[in-house]
Amino acid sequence: MASSARKRRWFTICAITACAALVAVPAGAVSGGTPNPFGVRTMDRLAHQRESAHAHLTASLSDDDDGNESDEIAEGADQFAEARTSPGVVAPGAYGAAWSSLDGLRRAGSRWKNITDLPYNSDDSRYRDYDSNSSGGSGMVTGRMAAMAADNDGYAYAGSAGGGVWRSSTGGGHWTPISDKLPTQATGALTLDTAGRLWLGTGEATTNADAYLGSGVYVLSSPHHGSYSTRSRVGGDELESTTIHQLRFGAGKVWAATSEGVWSHSTMRLSGSWKLEYAPNPDYLPGHSKANDPDAPYKNITNDIAVDPKDPSKVLLAVGWRSGDEYNGFFAQHNGSWQRVTTGLGDLPSDSATVGEVTFAASGDGSRYYAIDQSPKQLANNPDSSLEGIYVSKSGSPFGPWTKTADYHQLAASGSALTTAGYMPGVQAWYNQFLSVDPANADHVYAGLEEVYESQNGGTQWSTVGPYWNFNFPCWNIDPSKQTGDCNPTTHSDQHGIAIGRYHGKPYVYVGNDGGAYKRPVHGSQDADGHATDWTSLNDGTIDTLQYFSVGIGKDLDHGGVSVTGGLQDNGQSELRSNDKVMGSNFGGDGTDTITDTANGCNIAQAYVYLQIQVTQDCAVNDGSWESDPSKATSYSVAPPDNATGEARFVAPMSADAKDSSTWVAGGRHVWVQTHGYAIRSSTEWTNAFDLGEGHTATAVASSGGKVYAAWCGPCNNQGFTRGIAVGNADGTGWHQISLPVEGKVPNRYLSGFAIDPQNADHVYVTVSGFSRQWTEGPGAGVGHVFETKDGGTTWRDVSGNFPDVPADSAVVLPGGGLAVATDLGVVYRGPHTAKWERVGSLPAVAVLQLKIGPDNKLYAATHGRGIYTMPVRELQ
């Protein structure tokens, strides 16, 4: 999730709530108020947003998800997933088949060049404007890490959310990717067994609704060397198209907690099928009677497995959906069947209302078991936190008795940065969790939520060794000559993975979070407030797992060449000037779409979530002087009104007119137009060109010469999914809805992007996400992913041909008439005089969410997990 306000309900993606600040000066610097860093990113604003988010979500979500998710993270994730699954449910194997099809295409172009494989400084002193998080203390960052592993030989392993698994032989840093040959780059679990083998569970399960599902479990027998391949998969295809939350070992078995129940497999004989140990609602599994039910993805979620160290035949399963379901709880085998455990657990809850996301950790000597429990009841009713508590079993058995050692009040008092009502420790405990015990000390335990907590006495007392950020602390100041004032550097927020290993004989703890990987000594130091003084970022630029939604390119008038910017999941907006050796962050939070002036790359419009747009005309360069003099702010909040009313999507579309860069189009329920370009300073400068209709919201917009195309959905999930296209003029005239009959026409699936012919505004391509009816059970799923009109949308024809059956995300018409399309698994291209599609280069199996052509005549690809890549357009002509 993003490092600021992004905690809201971005959905699966992590993002923050859409802030309704429509002012052009820092909100924290208004007359009569005490300056609070970064205006809309303050904790007070976050708390207020979370409090009001439930009403917003109730209005905007039409599915019955059995939950009262009040954060945008969840809504963002849901929207990301529904774009790929609507109008129904996608059958297992869709992504695997798509990868095989893509890999079989003829190659076009040469090699992609990664331009973001350099350090990315979230505390860059150049960018301390009020919408930046610079000076928060996270330092060098990269994309989200879902899992970590480390051994005692100095090797560390980082499993990213969408960019694969990486290896370091130097205790962190100098990374090498080791899973690029796999058909998925989404990590769910990563762990070493006692034989030193590295086990990888694919499919990120952080939110249990991620669109990037896995292809099973893989094992690397000698992880110091080599890389994963499809031949290293354990078992058959039983776990394909699942997410894997945890892998645990016991009695010669590996246990997998997945989105489709708990499974086991022999650790000695790696062939043969996985065994389904327990699924709470087997009728909802693939191939069963309710597999196509809209609730099926939420009916068999399992979170962790605790194996009794004294008797590995005794196993406790933690089962349940974060928002609550009657099947939530703990289960153990009794008389040959799995039964709910309701007694003997002590303080650890056993009822379905208070058992949600759960993580276990055992001490190395078998004397302690620890657990974190997130409560669906708290999630629904407590605006401060969804954490039920942290627990310890001093018997060493997962069957207890358990004693509660901490709740969110105790953690807030431990030096936490999260002390504001409405945003306290565990507010996202269903998204952020890790737990680990020092192998040499059963009372030395680490817990990860939004922050990193450490106890050296079995949970009696805790210290916030990795605070969310430093803005709230007296040691912080905005001085650009310092990283984070007089505070010590901290980690990025939102914790997901942890490992303890040794480098040169010294033990270190490694943590993975929304900003990448960090480490510190196990026997490290703390200041008087309990904050660690010795965190080291391991994001040295050799590991690039940045998750871009967008890319913008413009001429760098100060240094020559081009300036490249892009909106990132969890990590704001990156800014790469042509002479940079270190990339900087000029906006904080979650970055989504981007508009950049090709003639001047410092003219930038950056969208947060729900159409919260900031604009700058100097790359947001600022020394922080705005804090004492608000008139010195150089970025401005200019959100269209649909931001305030909650009628825009988490990632909402916006674009500049292809013929007039001063005319912008943005879409929520309405199609908004403004004609002041980068000089816009107020939300009042937008005009409503067209109302898409109640319950409808824009999914893509594009315009050329004043002619505007807007795609929409509503409802946008699999309960009555509907899509459409409206066409009109930027001045508000000529608007009408296009008739899109399903049969033989554009499928009833999510419309993700437009590509307008630069020579003819009536000649347009539209890209279609999701999967065809071969994989999708839903009304009108149809076939095809690319459709063309030559009459302004009146008629459409399918030009998909041999296009792989994979979600298409955006497209761009190249000079000469060729068409490049971004998909969830790479880029494909069709020449101007052929119907055959070719694969562009050889990217790993990573989603490419946006393509653009820069003024340097290069094609830029924004990947959601491996940064930004370029290739000269001439290589495709």
Side-chain angles (χ1 to χ4, degrees):
M1 310 318 311
S3 147
S4 314
R6 76 184 133 79
K7 276 18 179 185
R8 257 29 345 190
R9 182 77 310 159
W10 315 314
F11 176 54
T12 257
I13 299 185
C14 326
I16 206 172
T17 182
C19 154
L22 305 180
V23 296
V25 297
V30 295
S31 176
T34 301
N36 202 357
F38 311 116
V40 300
R41 302 295 193 264
T42 64
M43 297 311 299
D44 285 343
R45 182 62 58 86
L46 285 179
H48 171 73
Q49 289 172 340
R50 183 175 196 275
E51 225 173 290
S52 63
H54 176 57
H56 164 70
L57 292 179
T58 301
S60 62
L61 287 177
S62 56
D63 61 331
D64 181 7
D65 174 1
D66 291 328
N68 295 318
E69 318 290 13
S70 58
D71 289 322
E72 282 97 20
I73 293 179
E75 189 181 3
D78 287 340
Q79 292 183 6
F80 197 76
E82 66 195 21
R84 289 152 175 80
T85 58
S86 295
V89 175
V90 177
Y95 272 103
W99 176 249
S100 296
S101 177
L102 180 73
D103 197 43
L105 293 180
R106 178 180 174 180
R107 296 295 195 273
S110 57
R111 294 175 61 89
W112 289 98
K113 179 183 178 182
N114 184 351
I115 62 168
T116 52
D117 56 348
L118 73 170
Y120 176 33
N121 189 2
S122 68
D123 290 323
D124 194 317
S125 61
R126 294 174 293 177
Y127 307 114
R128 297 214 162 161
D129 209 359
Y130 92 104
D131 261 327
S132 165
N133 282 342
S134 178
S135 77
S138 298
M140 302 299 179
V141 298
T142 190
R144 182 167 75 247
M145 292 300 157
M148 301 293 295
D151 63 21
N152 291 329
D153 299 320
Y155 283 78
Y157 307 91
S160 68
V165 180
W166 299 69
R167 174 176 58 219
S168 168
S169 62
T170 58
H174 303 287
W175 300 93
T176 302
I178 60 173
S179 65
D180 282 3
K181 297 177 182 178
L182 297 184
T184 176
Q185 299 300 306
T187 302
L190 191 67
T191 186
L192 289 158
D193 65 13
T194 56
R197 297 178 295 180
L198 185 63
W199 294 72
L200 165 64
T202 61
E204 190 198 12
T206 298
T207 61
N208 294 322
D210 196 21
Y212 295 114
L213 302 175
S215 56
V217 174
Y218 298 82
V219 65
L220 197 55
S221 297
S222 300
H224 291 185
H225 311 284
S227 59
Y228 289 102
S229 72
T230 55
R231 295 187 301 275
S232 61
R233 187 165 76 171
V234 178
D237 60 1
E238 298 82 14
L239 302 186
E240 187 163 334
S241 298
T242 68
T243 61
I244 297 177
H245 204 141
Q246 293 283 5
L247 295 173
R248 303 293 189 183
F249 302 96
K253 291 181 179 180
V254 57
W255 295 75
T258 83
S259 54
E260 293 179 359
V262 174
W263 299 70
S264 71
H265 198 283
S266 168
T267 58
M268 302 301 294
R269 184 172 177 271
L270 302 182
S271 60
S273 300
W274 285 81
K275 176 186 177 183
L276 177 60
E277 294 281 357
Y278 178 66
N281 295 289
D283 287 347
Y284 290 88
L285 293 175
H288 292 252
S289 60
K290 296 183 179 180
N292 295 323
D293 189 287
D295 289 333
Y298 310 102
K299 287 298 186 179
N300 286 287
I301 290 173
T302 57
N303 297 307
D304 208 348
I305 305 108
V307 179
D308 192 322
K310 299 180 178 66
D311 184 357
S313 68
K314 295 181 179 178
V315 178
L316 185 69
L317 310 180
V319 175
W321 170 231
R322 67 188 179 217
S323 300
D325 199 305
E326 59 185 16
Y327 74 85
N328 285 32
F330 298 103
F331 293 80
Q333 277 193 323
H334 181 70
N335 294 330
S337 65
W338 293 94
Q339 298 183 18
R340 184 184 298 272
V341 177
T342 58
T343 60
L345 297 179
D347 291 346
L348 187 65
S350 60
D351 63 294
S352 60
T354 51
V355 178
E357 182 78 14
V358 172
T359 302
F360 292 119
S363 64
D365 64 3
S367 67
R368 298 285 189 275
Y369 238 107
Y370 295 88
I372 296 177
D373 176 37
Q374 170 262 329
S375 165
K377 184 177 180 180
Q378 295 270 26
L379 178 63
N381 300 302
N382 184 353
D384 295 338
S385 177
S386 65
L387 177 68
E388 186 68 20
I390 302 177
Y391 303 82
V392 61
S393 169
K394 294 185 177 180
S395 70
S397 169
F399 292 90
W402 293 85
T403 301
K404 191 172 188 176
T405 68
D407 59 19
Y408 73 94
H409 293 290
Q410 291 165 273
L411 297 178
S414 70
S416 171
L418 306 181
T419 58
T420 302
Y423 211 87
M424 300 183 74
V427 68
Q428 291 178 177
W430 51 269
Y431 170 71
N432 310 309
Q433 276 193 31
F434 70 53
L435 195 60
S436 187
V437 187
D438 181 349
N441 183 352
D443 288 326
H444 188 190
V445 60
Y446 298 90
L449 295 167
E450 296 75 28
E451 304 171 298
V452 182
Y453 307 97
E454 179 181 8
S455 174
Q456 300 189 43
N457 54 17
T460 302
Q461 296 172 305
W462 293 88
S463 298
T464 307
V465 292
Y468 190 90
W469 53 21
N470 288 325
F471 293 139
N472 299 34
F473 302 131
C475 58
W476 175 85
N477 63 67
I478 204 168
D479 185 349
S481 70
K482 301 178 179 181
Q483 179 187 343
T484 180
D486 296 321
C487 301
N488 293 297
T490 184
T491 69
H492 195 288
S493 57
D494 296 344
Q495 312 304 316
H496 304 296
I498 185 170
I500 297 175
R502 290 178 176 268
Y503 182 58
H504 292 324
K506 185 177 181 179
Y508 287 88
V509 57
Y510 298 82
V511 301
N513 50 47
D514 278 3
Y518 297 75
K519 77 173 182 181
R520 66 181 290 257
V522 167
H523 305 295
S525 61
Q526 301 176 15
D527 63 20
D529 296 314
H531 305 150
T533 65
D534 44 15
W535 284 109
T536 298
S537 170
L538 303 178
N539 310 305
D540 59 359
T542 63
I543 183 170
D544 183 1
T545 59
L546 292 170
Q547 296 172 282
Y548 282 94
F549 287 108
S550 62
V551 61
I553 315 97
K555 292 181 179 179
D556 189 335
L557 302 183
D558 296 322
H559 310 102
V562 296
S563 175
V564 182
T565 186
L568 286 156
Q569 173 68 54
D570 305 328
N571 290 293
Q573 186 91 359
S574 68
E575 180 64 28
L576 178 61
R577 308 298 297 275
S578 63
N579 66 332
D580 277 351
K581 303 300 181 185
V582 175
M583 189 163 61
S585 176
N586 58 1
F587 291 104
D590 280 319
T592 58
D593 213 346
T594 301
I595 299 175
T596 305
D597 186 351
T598 57
N600 181 353
C602 275
N603 288 337
I604 304 168
Q606 177 260 2
Y608 191 34
V609 297
Y610 304 119
L611 274 187
Q612 182 181 328
I613 300 171
Q614 288 83 31
V615 64
T616 181
Q617 290 187 278
D618 69 348
C619 284
V621 171
N622 198 295
D623 63 3
S625 56
W626 66 266
E627 190 190 19
S628 57
D629 183 355
S631 68
K632 294 186 177 180
T634 54
S635 60
Y636 308 90
S637 181
V638 295
D642 281 355
N643 166 252
T645 60
E647 294 178 291
R649 290 178 67 78
F650 176 78
V651 178
M654 64 179 190
S655 68
D657 188 280
K659 302 293 186 182
D660 177 7
S661 62
S662 293
T663 296
W664 297 358
V665 180
R669 168 180 168 170
H670 306 84
V671 178
W672 298 98
V673 175
Q674 70 93 6
T675 58
H676 299 157
Y678 302 91
I680 183 175
R681 293 293 181 267
S682 168
S683 65
T684 60
E685 296 173 57
W686 293 93
T687 59
N688 176 11
F690 186 65
D691 184 348
L692 295 172
E694 184 176 359
H696 297 169
T697 184
T699 60
V701 295
S703 67
S704 181
K707 185 161 189 175
V708 182
Y709 295 83
W712 55 265
C713 64
C716 296
N717 57 24
N718 57 13
Q719 299 182 27
F721 178 86
T722 307
R723 79 334 177 209
I725 296 175
V727 180
N729 299 313
D731 63 6
T733 63
W735 279 92
H736 60 283
Q737 296 278 5
I738 291 174
S739 175
L740 288 178
V742 173
E743 293 303 322
K745 302 294 182 180
V746 181
N748 187 40
R749 304 202 308 270
Y750 186 93
L751 305 180
S752 54
F754 293 106
I756 303 177
D757 184 341
Q759 307 303 318
N760 180 2
D762 287 331
H763 183 200
V764 183
Y765 299 92
V766 64
T767 54
V768 184
S769 190
F771 292 90
S772 72
R773 60 191 176 210
Q774 176 184 356
W775 299 103
T776 302
E777 186 73 25
V783 296
H785 291 274
V786 185
F787 292 78
E788 178 184 27
T789 179
K790 294 184 177 181
D791 54 16
T794 302
T795 59
W796 296 84
R797 69 184 185 101
D798 185 357
V799 294
S800 303
N802 65 325
F803 194 99
D805 191 2
V806 62
D809 298 307
S810 74
V812 61
V813 178
L814 304 184
L819 184 69
V821 179
T823 80
D824 272 9
L825 293 174
V827 181
V828 295
Y829 168 75
R830 191 190 75 166
H833 305 297
T834 178
K836 292 293 185 181
W837 294 93
E838 300 172 306
R839 180 183 178 188
V840 180
S842 297
L843 292 174
V846 63
V848 180
L849 299 187
Q850 193 172 85
L851 294 173
K852 285 186 180 175
I853 300 174
D856 53 356
N857 205 33
K858 291 181 179 179
L859 180 66
Y860 287 76
T863 79
H864 200 68
R866 292 295 282 269
I868 296 173
Y869 287 77
T870 68
M871 180 181 291
V873 170
R874 66 176 180 272
E875 295 189 11
L876 295 175
Q877 295 178 315

